[in-house]
Amino acid sequence: MAKRITEVVVIGAGVAGLACAQALCKAGLRVTILEARSRIGGRIWTVHPSLTNAPVELGAEFIHGLPREVWQIVERAGLQTLELTGNRWRLEQARLAPMSGSWDVIDRIFQRIDKSAPDQSFQEFLEHACGNLPQQQRIEAAAYVESFHACDASRISAHALARWHRSDREIQGHRGFRFPNGCEGLVRALVAASKPDLLSVRLNTVVTEIAWNPGTVEVTAQSPGQPAGIRAQAAVITLPLGVLQAPPGTDGAVGFRPELTEKAGALKQLEMGTAIRLVLCFRGCFWTDPKLVQTPMPDMSFLSSPEELFPTWWSSVSAGTAMLTGWSGGVRAEQLSGRGRAAIVERGLEALHHVFGVPLETLRQWLQESFVHDWQSDPYCRGVYSYALADGKEAARTLGAPVGNTLFFAGEATDCSGQNGTLHGAIASGQRAATELLSCGGLGR
């Protein structure tokens, strides 16, 4: 099989791979991106349903705070953004009420994490360092961490959470923004900023093996049922953590020859988070109708119902749509994963029935369209985003380190600054990998 030749091959067309390719093309290198899916964007996935007058996000949706990595792209491309407004509500003792003070409590809990003490799981930290707090506050803190970080509170590193909390405050992460025309605009902007004569993107190309020696990489892949491959001087690996951890021979798994023994420890200290995303499009905003709900909430932005399988919901009323997005992360999502679209939609409707008291049959009648993505069942992702296990705070740094000045690594799981699991963390990792490659002395112009 004859292999095409390029200077750099990038594995994966998510924002990390696209940001890396943009920087490499700017330096004058010929870059080929290999992407297993039929689309670019990776964990950004915007769809445009026929019955809804707004895009539906099945992957990343929000800009958290003011990270320069994202806002530079937004401003350069003139992308429209909207800051999230409205109130946060919660279901507490079977009553809906505006949230007040909960975020301050969680903030104070994070500030209790002693980074000079031995690391432990967040659950252990709550038991050992927060025993004087009311039990309900500890339960809610664990539920928040499991939902937001799509993790298991008994496994995630407390030190890593403290680093995330510090990083989040630095960029005003309490502020949120969305793209009214779809998060895919960010993906298109990254491609548009690359030099078209130097960038080639090959979709539907499933990489199965990466063989390498210093200064040489040979990639074996399958493309529409046919063998395909490429030869390059260097490779940038932006595969999601779940794919890097996939057992040999399973769907989406990629083998390395020789094996990446220096990454084995790091791969065991990181975990891929579990999440189910459910989008329900209704023919009207029933939660604002006093005829249907006891507590109308025309100003609702987010809704917390900690006891439900879908404990977090947010609305898109500001975009002029009657759309609710349900998010289930961590151990709750594990209960839903693999159960199929119809069952997941039904669990979502049941959650809304419990929260609002609207009869199930009424909710079914109001429902126009529904969308589900089970990220764990996606062979090219195997989860939603990464988190560090206890004592694994530095594993991302090891995972992201170059090998032999030939293999370079990017993706949100390689971020070691507390920005893993975010758009800006993924983009920054791609830019960092490009800088490392250009600085190694072999390919820089």
Side-chain angles (χ1 to χ4, degrees), residues 12-36:
V15 291
L18 295 173
C20 181
Q22 178 195 344
L24 295 176
C25 290
K26 184 178 181 180
L29 296 181
R30 294 195 309 276
V31 179
T32 299
I33 300 178
L34 305 183
E35 169 56 50

Side-chain angles (χ1 to χ4, degrees), residues 287-298:
W287 57 96
T288 70
D289 190 340
K291 296 178 182 178
L292 290 173
V293 296
Q294 187 174 359
T295 307
M297 297 182 293

Side-chain angles (χ1 to χ4, degrees), residues 1-71:
M1 175 182 62
K3 286 185 167 65
R4 299 184 186 181
I5 298 176
T6 189
E7 288 179 289
V8 181
V9 58
V10 175
I11 314 299
V15 291
L18 295 173
C20 181
Q22 178 195 344
L24 295 176
C25 290
K26 184 178 181 180
L29 296 181
R30 294 195 309 276
V31 179
T32 299
I33 300 178
L34 305 183
E35 169 56 50
R37 296 181 173 91
S38 60
R39 59 178 179 83
I40 60 174
R43 280 168 274 179
I44 291 178
W45 187 9
T46 306
V47 297
H48 298 271
S50 58
L51 300 179
T52 304
N53 61 346
V56 168
E57 304 291 359
L58 295 178
E61 179 172 358
F62 300 115
I63 306 173
H64 295 285
L66 303 173
R68 62 177 181 81
E69 294 87 357
V70 174
W71 286 102

Side-chain angles (χ1 to χ4, degrees), residues 151-172:
C151 70
D152 183 336
S154 68
R155 292 172 60 79
I156 190 170
S157 160
H159 282 184
L161 281 172
R163 182 170 58 189
W164 162 80
H165 182 248
R166 183 174 62 253
S167 172
D168 194 59
R169 294 185 72 179
E170 289 172 354
I171 60 168
Q172 299 182 45

Side-chain angles (χ1 to χ4, degrees), residues 62-132:
F62 300 115
I63 306 173
H64 295 285
L66 303 173
R68 62 177 181 81
E69 294 87 357
V70 174
W71 286 102
Q72 284 177 347
I73 300 169
V74 168
E75 292 164 4
R76 183 176 62 223
L79 299 178
Q80 185 181 358
T81 62
L82 288 176
E83 185 162 9
L84 303 182
T85 58
N87 287 328
R88 297 173 181 263
W89 289 69
R90 62 182 292 172
L91 184 67
E92 184 175 8
Q93 297 179 345
R95 293 184 59 211
L96 287 167
M99 293 181 71
S100 58
S102 293
W103 299 115
D104 294 335
V105 169
I106 291 173
D107 187 68
R108 288 195 295 270
I109 287 175
F110 278 127
Q111 291 180 29
R112 286 191 178 203
I113 299 174
D114 183 357
K115 296 181 287 297
S116 65
D119 196 10
Q120 57 189 331
S121 74
F122 185 67
Q123 189 66 54
E124 290 171 324
F125 155 75
L126 288 175
E127 294 168 0
H128 299 155
C130 301
N132 62 334

Side-chain angles (χ1 to χ4, degrees), residues 213-226:
N213 288 301
T216 304
V217 178
E218 294 199 10
V219 178
T220 302
Q222 293 287 328
S223 184
Q226 299 296 319

